[in-house]
Every structure is written in C-alpha cells, then in structure tokens.
Amino acid sequence: MSAPLIVSIPHRLGREEAMRRLKTGLARATANVPILQVDEERWEGDRLSFSVRALGQTASGHLDVSDDHARLEVTLPWLLQRFAKAAQVAIRNRGNLLLTKRS
C-alpha cells in the first residue's frame, strides 16, 4: 500500500468558520472539476470522510478541521499516484484560498 497524500493548511478562522467555508468550497470544487466524481461525502463532527473517483480509479480519505488548521489525508490508487504532487499543490492552493480570503 502506498503512503497517503497529506496536506495541512493553517488558518486563523476558528473551527466553525473554517468548516463552513470548506463545506461550500468543496461543493463548488467538485462541480468545477469534470473528471472528479464524489461517491461519498459524510461529515461526522469535525471530520469529513469521503470517497471520490477520477479516471476510473477510486480514492478515499478524510479531512479533519481544527481551530487553527485543516488536515487532508487521502490514499490514492497506484494509477493516480503519478498525479500526487500536482494534486497536493492544487489542494494546498485551493485550501489556502478558501481559508485565508475574506468572505
């Protein structure tokens, strides 16, 4: 099994505001990425558990939101591993935009 892709994004919003922004931002992000299909999205407290499909491959993981950072951990199948670095950069950039811009 491969090592999970992990992205940690610091913020100064507090847990509730960060979760609000992430929930709305994630819905928009999946609508704007045509190759990405969300199979499961379940919030339990401060944790989002999810399963997504891209290029016929399934990836699953979770997103934990705390008072000062959000941490995404996702396990990619071997075919999507080659896109891990690009995905990590894109996730970090999108997350920073969601958690630092004024709303």
Side-chain angles (χ1 to χ4, degrees):
M1 177 176 268
S2 62
L5 180 140
I6 298 172
V7 179
S8 184
I9 303 164
H11 66 79
R12 296 180 185 167
L13 300 171
R15 186 183 323 252
E16 295 302 318
E17 177 63 10
M19 285 180 59
R20 185 191 70 75
R21 289 185 184 199
L22 286 167
K23 286 178 181 179
T24 59
L26 292 172
R28 279 188 308 226
T30 55
N32 293 330
V33 181
I35 65 165
L36 186 67
Q37 180 178 355
V38 177
D39 290 334
E40 177 187 7
E41 181 178 334
R42 185 179 69 250
W43 282 94
E44 294 176 14
D46 302 333
R47 174 176 274 207
L48 166 66
S49 297
F50 62 88
S51 176
V52 295
R53 235 179 316 151
L55 303 173
Q57 301 293 304
T58 300
S60 61
H62 57 270
L63 171 69
D64 293 304
V65 183
S66 68
D67 291 332
D68 63 354
H69 72 281
R71 183 179 185 275
L72 174 83
E73 184 173 324
V74 60
T75 302
L76 298 172
W78 69 271
L79 184 62
L80 296 178
Q81 282 290 320
R82 67 183 326 164
F83 303 108
K85 281 286 191 204
Q88 193 172 34
V89 169
I91 291 165
R92 183 171 288 118
N93 290 343
R94 178 71 178 164
N96 280 328
L97 183 63
L98 281 170
L99 297 177
T100 59
K101 72 175 185 173
R102 294 189 185 270
S103 85

